[in-house]
Amino acid sequence: QVQLVESGGGLVQAGGSLRLSCAASGSILTVNRMGWYRQAPGNQRELVATSSGGITNYADSVKGRFTISRDNAKRTVYLQMNSLKPEDTAVYYCNAVITRLNGELNNYWGQGTQVTVSS
């Protein structure tokens, strides 16, 4: 099995910062792409940022405010969120494309962590 465990969500005032973390564990051969998505009430899940092979990709709405980074030795991805806005309020989900020890390539999701930005 493979697990993604997230941490770091919470309540913050507009203009504040939060840092999310997501660690992958289990029967892992390689962790390929890692990223963050979010889903606000009544909305579809949307991409926030991804990191793959040293290349990062951001949603236009978070460019310049959020930074994704990885510690490959720890199989962990981070999302530093600065200058937070009320519209950033959502459940944030970690995502990873992982090759398991048995050779299977699968897409995994974390359990989600709530980020609430008050105005």
Side-chain angles (χ1 to χ4, degrees):
Q1 290 90 347
V2 170
Q3 280 189 314
L4 299 181
V5 179
E6 303 159 356
S7 61
L11 173 64
V12 65
Q13 289 189 332
S17 298
L18 284 174
R19 188 191 194 209
L20 305 182
S21 300
C22 171
S25 64
S27 57
I28 296 171
L29 180 61
T30 58
V31 180
N32 305 303
R33 188 185 69 189
M34 298 189 84
W36 293 92
Y37 291 72
R38 66 187 182 186
Q39 187 168 17
N43 291 355
Q44 291 187 332
R45 192 172 297 188
E46 63 177 6
L47 179 146
V48 176
T50 61
S51 173
S52 178
I55 298 173
T56 57
N57 180 49
Y58 295 92
D60 287 343
S61 60
V62 307
K63 283 181 181 177
R65 301 187 298 120
F66 291 10
T67 302
I68 188 170
S69 61
R70 290 173 63 166
D71 184 334
N72 290 325
K74 295 182 179 179
R75 295 171 174 169
T76 298
V77 63
Y78 305 96
L79 186 67
Q80 179 65 43
M81 304 184 293
N82 298 329
S83 302
L84 282 161
K85 304 175 181 180
E87 51 263 44
D88 294 318
T89 295
V91 177
Y92 284 69
Y93 294 93
C94 175
N95 174 262
V97 177
I98 291 172
T99 303
R100 296 182 59 188
L101 292 173
N102 63 4
E104 290 182 355
L105 180 69
N106 289 319
N107 189 44
Y108 294 92
W109 293 93
Q111 78 280 5
T113 185
Q114 178 70 46
V115 171
T116 302
V117 184
S118 62
S119 57

